[in-house]
């Protein structure tokens, strides 16, 4: 029997399939590590994906779990499809239809309305969401048949457009220049009508894509719900870095996790490095303050020989530990 492998530290980026919950994905990682002979490892995820959603799910291992909270606060990019004509109580395919409309918006009108959903906007989260209402999850109240009053919140939509980089400016122009700007729902209007559209949104934390889809449909004079949702970027992690569950299973069969694991600092690609010498690294590990540092104010990743030691906040040349990491100085 081979000796136990040391617990890994870093990120596994899963391409989560539809139907699998985020906590189930964490359990799957724990299982393959155990079956692969690794020491007990702390595992967490960097942002929930609903079972009906798919795509980039960052899984933090070992010391990287200390950064999972930062991943929750990061921006995300989603591709999603709005099916027009039916609204469900969950705003996706899982729920019951609560409203129908025969109206289908012109594709040009969709393009024209998207600009009103960029920047900082007000949004009402879905009743079927994890937002707490009086100390209880909204979805628990909704499933119990309660009438859930959700509070409006401010979120930021950094960009919003058609999937495949479709030229929405051209569509807006077509809509605006149609003779006399007629009613887009007039059957005589020579415009292409859309049963559904697939969009890509770059959003801040706390944004609900299902709510965004609902509100876009309302703005177009109809109703709609999400039939497809894929996260293509979470913080610094993109879908090109994601691995399938089949690839994950190779770890259980003895494949080295190093071939799939991204380093802890991959989750901090926007944070400048602060190089330490052995004495200052020891001081930082003891939680002491460093002074007289010629670095700009802000958050820095303190390293010793490229090994992360701590996240440190600098102010006026003085650095204080925000989060320490317990990693070996030399990779084995």
């Amino acid at each position: 029997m081979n000796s136990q492998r040391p617990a890994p530290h870093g990120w596994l980026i899963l391409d989560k399939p539809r139907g699998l919950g985020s906590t189930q994905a964490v359990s799957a990682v724990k299982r393959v590590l155990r079956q692969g002979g690794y020491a007990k490892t702390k595992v967490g995820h960097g942002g929930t994906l609903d079972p009906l959603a798919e795509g980039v799910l960052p899984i933090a291992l070992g010391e990287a779990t200390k950064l999972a909270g930062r991943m929750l606060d990061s921006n995300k990019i989603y591709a999603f499809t709005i099916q027009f004509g039916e609204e469900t109580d969950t705003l996706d395919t899982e729920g019951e239809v609560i409203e129908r409309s025969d109206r289908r918006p012109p594709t040009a009108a969709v393009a024209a309305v998207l600009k009103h959903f960029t920047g900082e906007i007000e949004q009402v989260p879905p009743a079927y969401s994890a937002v707490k209402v009086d100390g209880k999850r909204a979805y628990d109240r909704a499933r119990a048949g309660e009438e859930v009053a959700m509070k409006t919140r401010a979120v930021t939509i950094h960009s919003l457009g058609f999937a495949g980089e479709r030229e929405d400016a051209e569509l807006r122009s077509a809509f605006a220049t149609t003779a006399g700007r007629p009613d887009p729902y007039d059957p005589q209007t020579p415009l292409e009508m859309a049963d559904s559209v697939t969009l890509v949104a770059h959003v801040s934390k706390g944004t609900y894509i299902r709510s965004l889809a609902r509100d876009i449909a309302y703005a177009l004079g109809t109703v709609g719900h999400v039939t497809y949702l894929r996260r293509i970027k979470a913080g610094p992690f993109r879908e090109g870095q994601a691995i399938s569950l089949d690839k994950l299973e190779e770890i259980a069969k003895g494949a080295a996790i190093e071939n799939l694991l991204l380093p802890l600092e991959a989750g901090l690609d926007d944070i400048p490095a602060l190089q330490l010498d052995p004495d200052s690294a020891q001081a930082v590990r003891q939680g002491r303050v460093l002074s007289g540092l010629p670095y700009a104010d802000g958050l820095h990743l303190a390293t010793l020989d490229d090994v992360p030691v701590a996240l440190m906040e600098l102010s006026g040349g003085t650095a204080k530990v925000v989060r320490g990491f317990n990693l070996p100085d030399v990779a084995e």
Side-chain angles (χ1 to χ4, degrees):
M1 177 72 71
N2 293 332
S3 60
Q4 192 172 53
R5 297 176 175 182
H9 304 280
W11 299 92
L12 284 174
I13 313 304
L14 288 188
D15 191 337
K16 188 192 82 66
R18 188 170 175 140
L20 184 74
S22 297
T23 54
Q24 291 175 299
V26 168
S27 296
V29 171
K30 288 180 178 179
R31 175 182 56 77
V32 300
L33 289 175
R34 183 172 62 251
Q35 293 175 348
Y38 289 91
K40 187 174 182 180
T41 305
K42 191 171 183 179
V43 181
H45 65 75
T48 300
L49 265 184
D50 291 341
L52 289 180
E54 61 182 59
V56 175
L57 180 64
I59 302 289
L61 306 183
E63 291 295 285
T65 57
K66 296 177 178 179
L67 300 176
R70 284 182 53 82
M71 204 56 55
L72 297 177
D73 291 339
S74 64
N75 292 334
K76 315 290 194 303
I77 299 179
Y78 295 91
F80 62 105
T81 298
I82 309 172
Q83 178 68 49
F84 296 116
E86 293 184 338
E87 181 177 333
T88 67
D89 52 6
T90 59
L91 303 180
D92 59 23
T93 58
E94 190 174 42
E96 298 292 326
V97 176
I98 58 173
E99 189 172 350
R100 289 185 169 88
S101 172
D102 292 332
R103 284 190 159 189
R104 298 294 182 272
T107 307
V110 179
V113 83
L114 295 184
K115 64 182 178 182
H116 299 295
F117 290 93
T118 55
E120 186 170 298
I121 66 170
E122 296 291 320
Q123 183 181 82
V124 178
Y128 285 83
S129 66
V131 175
K132 286 192 175 181
V133 177
D134 296 330
K136 191 174 179 180
R137 299 290 185 189
Y139 55 64
D140 288 329
R141 292 185 178 278
R143 286 168 184 160
E146 296 182 35
E147 191 73 28
V148 184
M150 305 299 293
K151 293 182 179 179
T152 300
R153 59 166 65 181
V155 298
T156 301
I157 312 298
H158 299 290
S159 65
L160 178 63
F162 288 97
E165 300 181 349
R166 185 168 182 172
E167 183 48 69
D168 58 352
E170 182 179 318
L171 289 168
R172 283 197 297 270
S173 176
F175 183 54
T177 56
T178 300
R181 194 180 177 100
D183 178 358
Y185 293 101
D186 184 335
Q188 301 303 312
T189 301
L191 293 172
E192 173 193 353
M193 300 295 179
D195 279 330
S196 65
V197 292
T198 299
L199 305 173
V200 174
H202 180 192
V203 303
S204 69
K205 71 170 184 175
T207 301
Y208 279 92
I209 298 298
R210 287 176 290 152
S211 292
L212 181 61
R214 173 199 62 202
D215 296 343
I216 289 171
Y218 286 171
L220 291 164
T222 185
V223 294
H225 66 283
V226 171
T227 58
Y228 168 80
L229 178 60
R230 178 173 178 80
R231 188 156 67 193
I232 56 181
K233 189 172 185 286
F237 300 121
R238 296 180 174 274
E239 62 183 340
Q241 298 169 297
I243 62 171
S244 66
L245 288 183
D246 286 344
K247 181 65 76 170
L248 178 69
E249 286 294 336
E250 293 178 6
I251 298 172
K253 300 171 184 175
I257 196 172
E258 290 77 16
N259 297 333
L260 304 174
L261 193 68
L262 298 178
L264 176 150
E265 56 269 30
L268 299 168
D269 69 343
D270 57 341
I271 306 244
L274 169 61
Q275 298 292 336
L276 303 177
D277 59 35
D279 290 341
S280 58
Q282 182 63 23
V284 167
R285 286 178 176 137
Q286 294 170 354
R288 287 162 30 202
V289 173
L290 300 182
S291 301
L293 299 174
Y295 294 95
D297 291 356
L299 200 62
H300 288 67
L301 174 62
T303 63
L304 173 65
D305 297 330
D306 295 328
V307 176
V309 175
L311 274 178
M312 305 192 76
E313 186 70 37
L314 265 78
S315 179
T318 298
K320 296 182 179 180
V321 175
V322 174
R323 177 74 74 179
F325 303 115
N326 184 25
L327 295 168
D329 287 337
V330 180
E332 306 229 349

